Amino acid sequence: MMIRKISLLTVLPVTAFSVCAQGNTDDTLVVSASRFPQPVSSVLAPTSVVTREDINRWQATSVADILSRLPGVDIAQNGGLGQINSLFIRGTESRHVLLLIDGIRMNGAGISGSSDLSQIPLSLIQRIEYIRGPRSAVYGSDAIGGVVNIITGRDKPGTTLSAGMGSHGYQNYDASTQQQFGATRVTFAGNYTYTKGFDVVANLPDNYGDPRQPDHDGFMSKSLYGAVDHQFNDRVSGFVRGYGYDNRTDYDGMLAYDDNYNVAGLPDTRQLYSQGWDAGLRFREGDYASQLVAGYSRSKDYNYDPHKGRYDASATLDDTKQYNLQWGNTLQVGQGTVSAGVDWQKQTTEPGTAYLSQGHEMRNTGVYATVQQLIGPVTLEGAIRGDDHSEFGWHTTWQTSAAWEFIDGYRLIGSYGTAFKAPNLGQLYSDFYGNTRLNPEESKQWEAGIEGLTGPVSWRVSGYRNDIDNLIDSDPVTYRYYNIGKARIKGVEATASFDTGPVSHQIAYDYVDPRNARTDEVLLRRAKQQVKYELSGQVETLGWSVTYRYLGERYDRNYNATGNQLVKMGGVSLWDVALSYPLTSQLTVRGRIANLFDKDYETVYGYHTAGREYTLSGSYSF
């Protein structure tokens, strides 16, 4: 779904092997599925690619806005732009999604271990590769539900300036340029985004007298990006990339108390500073390619009462550094590709942050191998990986998939994979919640599907089951983390794409039944059913897009009620309309109405959503 044919901004430049487009004729290359470039039609796991063209057509305003349109994705958001959100892929926990930026694991600070989509600037993104299903055998920890790889930069030389405005005081200013100087390519980009927001009316627990906050919950983001690529000779190239952003979010907070249970403040402001740097060398000769990449990132996440400041006793800080080293190798063998490599990662936290009184570090070394081969009408895929973690030792994961083209243009696909999620620094070492005896959460997933090309319709239907053991959860008596949870998730996913004359259609349907395997209770904040349908086309030079989304019923907790009463939230149908018109060959104006019929709904109990919103923007390229 939502895939376009473009040239790959390849992270590991090696020619993909020849493979039949069984059931899917798209020849777009992806690198995230098996860590080597391959046509998306050859990837056995369900895969979606979002290009910058898609982002412009939808006129998305956030990463969450983009991903919410994709199959298998359900997003629960605590209000509007910049507010905390949870990304559920196929019913798994938000922390079970591996989020990469240019193939490098994103720094996930905090006690939850989840990367926060609300804070990633949209201006950094050139394309997104999204893989559904377990991928720990390729990437290690976190990839239980799927992988989202955000690829940055520009796809071609030139300069683009853009500006936009919209509802709730929304403003957006963006500039990017890419210039070629002989064998050297230089890219720079910058962005400023602001919205005064709206009152999210958080239904917070009032057990401790938390005050109602009738105010605007706004968001501001400033970001910078730069990259230099150089081709040393026909075989060797290198690059250096860096980005940083400074975000401020206002939200409805809860009272903070000191050790004597006196009110210390009301933290309701979040300030996030994030930076990332990576550099690498690439080598390619014949059928062999290799890449060595080193990366560093730091995240400083303040939550504080603005009347008392970021350094008051009522404030909290998550200050985390992450170091990465990756060496990957790819070799074309027969009618397929073999890859192998080593990953090393170290994460450290500063004393007094992330609920840790002392500084701690956590290290992991992973060794992996993947293979894909085409043998007549059968495609075989496999991966195995071992991780040596500084806290819990060695852990092995593996996966295998097979596809059989039983009739020309139709194939059956089956897969099985294991995955895991390692506990993070806060869960291990926090003075209040930590438990150094935690084991990794473990997953086993089965999937079977059929896909085909029937006339103009490219389609796929899959059924899956995911059993997750050793879920990390808080003990209701001690509040410390233990491996006390277990989940069983079953689901069906169906996608289709086709054209009728000048109109393109993209359709997805998801049914998911996520349950606590010990109590049989439905897991919170996941919609039971979703339907996503996009129609797009062009009339003369006027581009248009109409998007329909049905979000089914879901459950949450009313923490104000006795016993944290279970609350059922009804489904909702949402319509978005977007238009674009090129005034000249260089200047394009765009307009969008989101939630066209102004539906009132919630994805997190007690937190309002934005209602109808308008945006108007223009971009000038030269």
Side-chain angles (χ1 to χ4, degrees):
M1 180 179 177
M2 301 170 186
I3 297 169
R4 294 292 182 268
K5 298 181 180 180
I6 64 168
S7 298
L8 176 67
L9 295 173
T10 173
V11 176
L12 183 60
V14 57
T15 304
F17 62 87
S18 175
V19 64
C20 293
Q22 301 156 334
N24 186 339
T25 58
D26 198 326
D27 58 3
T28 301
L29 296 182
V30 295
V31 296
S32 306
S34 301
R35 300 181 76 156
F36 57 77
Q38 60 186 122
V40 70
S41 58
S42 75
V43 179
L44 300 189
T47 302
S48 299
V49 178
V50 177
T51 70
R52 192 71 212 184
E53 178 188 10
D54 296 322
I55 296 171
N56 290 338
R57 185 177 70 256
W58 301 331
Q59 299 176 49
T61 55
S62 68
V63 177
D65 187 6
I66 295 171
L67 294 181
S68 67
R69 302 166 183 268
L70 303 182
V73 170
D74 194 3
I75 290 180
Q77 186 151 346
N78 295 19
L81 188 63
Q83 303 295 319
I84 290 176
N85 53 53
S86 298
L87 168 63
F88 304 117
I89 292 182
R90 290 185 164 187
T92 61
E93 298 287 346
S94 184
R95 65 180 183 270
H96 294 158
V97 180
L98 176 59
L99 186 58
L100 307 173
I101 295 184
D102 292 319
I104 296 177
R105 186 182 303 267
M106 184 179 175
N107 189 347
I111 198 75
S112 70
S114 303
S115 297
D116 188 0
L117 293 175
S118 69
Q119 300 297 310
I120 302 173
L122 194 62
S123 58
L124 293 179
I125 300 172
Q126 179 57 39
R127 82 193 238 123
I128 297 175
E129 297 180 0
Y130 162 50
I131 318 297
R132 301 184 285 288
R135 232 59 191 167
S136 282
V138 180
Y139 289 102
S141 176
D142 302 357
I144 290 178
V147 175
V148 175
N149 188 10
I150 295 173
I151 298 173
T152 64
R154 286 177 59 100
D155 63 344
K156 58 185 178 181
T159 300
T160 302
L161 305 175
S162 63
M165 59 184 296
S167 306
H168 308 300
Y170 174 79
Q171 300 176 51
N172 181 75
Y173 306 96
D174 190 88
S176 67
T177 185
Q178 185 180 102
Q179 304 297 325
Q180 191 78 33
F181 304 98
T184 302
R185 185 172 67 247
V186 179
T187 305
F188 286 107
N191 173 268
Y192 173 82
T193 299
Y194 168 82
T195 177
K196 71 178 181 181
F198 58 91
D199 188 6
V200 301
V201 197
N203 185 17
L204 297 170
D206 60 5
N207 302 333
Y208 301 100
D210 292 296
R212 169 79 175 85
Q213 294 178 265
D215 58 358
H216 288 288
D217 296 304
F219 174 70
M220 182 273 295
S221 175
K222 296 177 286 185
S223 62
L224 288 173
Y225 170 88
V228 178
D229 289 78
H230 182 74
Q231 190 76 38
F232 295 101
N233 54 48
D234 292 341
R235 297 182 297 175
V236 180
S237 64
F239 64 90
V240 177
R241 286 187 295 243
Y243 66 86
Y245 48 91
D246 170 5
N247 296 351
R248 177 188 167 110
T249 309
D250 300 323
Y251 59 92
D252 281 6
M254 299 175 63
L255 292 171
Y257 295 83
D258 61 22
D259 294 340
N260 296 318
Y261 299 100
N262 297 313
V263 174
L266 179 60
D268 64 355
T269 300
R270 180 184 187 187
Q271 191 85 36
L272 175 66
Y273 301 96
S274 183
Q275 61 174 305
W277 300 88
D278 63 291
L281 288 173
R282 309 182 184 105
F283 173 84
R284 176 184 174 187
E285 185 169 14
D287 293 335
Y288 172 72
S290 181
Q291 178 173 261
L292 179 66
V293 179
Y296 165 81
S297 63
R298 185 175 186 180
S299 173
K300 298 179 69 175
D301 192 349
Y302 294 90
N303 286 267
Y304 62 97
D305 184 333
H307 299 98
K308 295 178 176 292
R310 294 182 305 186
Y311 304 105
D312 184 73
S314 62
T316 62
L317 168 63
D318 293 349
D319 186 353
T320 308
K321 299 176 183 178
Q322 185 170 283
Y323 306 83
N324 292 85
L325 188 64
Q326 301 178 354
W327 180 39
N329 302 272
T330 303
L331 179 66
Q332 295 183 55
V333 177
Q335 293 297 308
T337 302
V338 175
S339 72
V342 180
D343 294 335
W344 176 83
Q345 176 184 293
K346 182 174 77 170
Q347 190 176 69
T348 67
T349 187
E350 295 298 309
T353 70
Y355 300 99
L356 305 173
S357 60
Q358 300 179 9
H360 289 276
E361 75 173 37
M362 190 166 59
R363 300 175 309 281
N364 187 85
T365 302
V367 180
Y368 69 90
T370 71
V371 62
Q372 189 179 69
Q373 284 289 318
L374 179 66
I375 306 173
V378 176
T379 302
L380 301 175
E381 180 184 277
I384 187 169
R385 179 182 172 107
D387 285 274
D388 185 17
H389 193 276
S390 59
E391 183 62 33
F392 59 78
W394 187 262
H395 199 89
T396 302
T397 48
W398 63 279
Q399 67 185 58
T400 183
S401 304
W404 172 43
E405 188 181 14
F406 60 97
I407 300 175
D408 187 31
Y410 296 84
R411 65 177 180 178
L412 295 170
I413 302 172
S415 67
Y416 172 82
T418 64
F420 77 103
K421 163 68 178 177
N424 65 19
L425 285 167
Q427 292 168 336
L428 288 169
Y429 302 117
S430 169
D431 297 333
F432 302 101
Y433 312 110
N435 180 1
T436 57
R437 294 191 296 272
L438 286 175
N439 292 315
E441 299 173 311
E442 298 180 329
S443 162
K444 299 177 181 178
Q445 181 168 311
W446 298 261
E447 181 169 353
I450 181 171
E451 67 177 19
L453 184 62
T454 306
V457 183
S458 178
W459 56 270
R460 176 170 179 149
V461 179
S462 300
Y464 57 87
R465 172 171 172 159
N466 196 349
D467 292 330
I468 309 175
D469 296 321
N470 293 331
L471 278 176
I472 297 173
D473 205 349
S474 177
D475 184 274
V477 177
T478 67
Y479 299 106
R480 290 199 177 272
Y481 283 102
Y482 294 94
N483 296 105
I484 56 179
K486 185 175 183 179
R488 180 183 65 252
I489 303 170
K490 300 176 182 178
V492 175
E493 176 185 292
T495 61
S497 62
F498 58 95
D499 294 337
T500 54
V503 180
S504 295
H505 304 256
Q506 309 282 348
I507 306 172
Y509 169 77
D510 286 287
Y511 170 85
V512 63
D513 183 21
R515 293 185 178 272
N516 182 320
R518 300 192 188 279
T519 65
D520 203 41
E521 292 183 351
V522 176
L523 300 181
L524 302 179
R525 300 182 179 177
R526 284 85 153 169
K528 184 176 182 179
Q529 298 185 77
Q530 293 189 87
V531 178
K532 302 173 183 181
Y533 185 15
E534 183 199 2
L535 299 92
S536 60
Q538 190 163 309
V539 179
E540 299 295 336
T541 57
L542 177 69
W544 61 272
S545 171
V546 177
T547 303
Y548 168 78
R549 287 183 294 152
Y550 170 72
L551 309 179
E553 64 183 32
R554 68 186 72 207
Y555 291 87
D556 204 350
R557 294 278 180 189
N558 179 3
Y559 293 101
N560 273 321
T562 302
N564 297 334
Q565 178 184 357
L566 192 67
V567 178
K568 180 179 178 180
M569 297 183 289
V572 64
S573 292
L574 303 172
W575 293 86
D576 295 352
V577 178
L579 298 173
S580 64
Y581 183 75
L583 295 176
T584 69
S585 60
Q586 296 174 302
L587 177 62
T588 300
V589 294
R590 298 180 174 92
R592 176 195 181 197
I593 305 176
N595 192 359
L596 179 64
F597 299 106
D598 197 22
K599 295 289 186 175
D600 184 14
Y601 69 101
E602 296 176 353
T603 56
V604 177
Y605 180 71
Y607 286 86
H608 286 189
T609 46
R612 184 188 295 117
E613 290 186 298
Y614 308 85
T615 56
L616 179 65
S617 64
S619 63
Y620 183 74
S621 299
F622 57 94

